[in-house]
Amino acid sequence: RDTPYEAEALRLKGSCDLFSIESEIDSIDSSGSWEMNCAFKPLFLLKKIEEKKRPLLWVDADAIFLEKMPMLEVFSSPFAVRLYNCPDTHPSRVVSSVVYVTAERESIEILKQWALKCITLLKEESRSEVWDQDALRSVLFSQEFKGIWEVFPENFSVIEDHPDDALVKEPILKQTQASRRYKQWINHREKRFFTL
């Protein structure tokens, strides 16, 4: 709320309407920093699953649909994300800008573990930056994790100007990397706000 992300959300809403994709976009207050706002994602998804009690597709506000999306029933697992072709230990291995979740126990457990990992990473003072996608990666690829999840086809979601996505044909969703434009602005604004 009250950030440039509102304009991004309006563009996302327009692309949903264009392709008759049911959408719900909620405006929330800042949690205090860009990192904390992103770390709120799994908690928000838990809240929405509790409300809707049906499969949902989270899409970051800086995305736009480029064509009609297939029905969510095409997914056979309770949870799905996009992976990049890099080692499982790499912070960019998991892409959390688009996340499919169901109301099943397995999916809810992943969301809870993801939320806890975000909180743990935010508490580590030695970390200069916390990515919610890295928290999710550490959950999905931990040796203790036994949950069921699947990987989106690469054309399901691409990131604008990402070299791995340059040759992807007919993407359904495109992320425009608003974090590159707004992260410092949000963190500077929040720092100013909290020091008054």
Side-chain angles (χ1 to χ4, degrees), residues 33-187:
S33 70
W34 182 87
E35 288 85 359
M36 288 173 65
N37 292 339
C38 291
F40 182 63
K41 189 184 300 183
L43 295 171
F44 182 83
L45 281 166
L46 282 166
K47 176 183 168 225
K48 286 297 173 183
I49 284 291
E50 178 61 30
E51 284 177 20
K52 306 292 183 186
K53 299 188 179 358
R54 65 184 175 107
L56 301 173
L57 184 74
W58 164 278
V59 179
D60 278 2
D62 64 340
I64 54 170
F65 282 92
L66 303 174
E67 60 180 68
K68 186 147 182 74
M69 184 184 71
M71 297 300 287
L72 294 182
E73 287 77 14
V74 302
F75 298 107
S76 58
S77 296
F79 194 90
V81 292
R82 168 94 193 270
L83 296 182
Y84 271 120
N85 188 21
C86 50
D88 291 348
T89 55
H90 195 283
S92 294
R93 175 72 165 134
V94 172
V95 181
S96 64
S97 54
V98 181
V99 178
Y100 168 75
V101 294
T102 66
E104 297 173 51
R105 181 183 53 79
E106 293 91 348
S107 190
I108 290 168
E109 185 58 32
I110 292 171
L111 291 174
K112 287 179 179 177
Q113 289 184 39
W114 182 13
L116 285 171
K117 189 63 177 178
C118 283
I119 291 166
T120 300
L121 293 178
L122 285 166
K123 285 182 175 178
E124 290 180 13
E125 291 181 26
S126 61
R127 294 181 67 98
S128 60
E129 200 169 74
V130 173
W131 293 358
D132 68 281
Q133 70 181 31
D134 192 30
L136 179 57
R137 177 205 56 79
S138 68
V139 168
L140 296 177
F141 287 97
S142 72
Q143 290 184 346
E144 298 80 30
F145 182 71
K146 305 292 186 230
I148 302 167
W149 58 285
E150 67 183 286
V151 178
F152 290 135
E154 69 175 11
N155 76 319
F156 196 84
S157 174
V158 297
I159 296 176
E160 187 173 68
D161 300 328
H162 196 290
D164 287 359
D165 291 338
L167 300 176
V168 174
K169 301 210 182 320
E170 300 179 5
I172 295 168
L173 264 165
K174 177 175 74 171
Q175 302 297 139
T176 63
Q177 299 200 69
S179 61
R180 292 184 178 182
R181 300 186 300 278
Y182 307 137
K183 181 178 177 180
Q184 288 184 354
W185 182 90
I186 288 172
N187 282 343

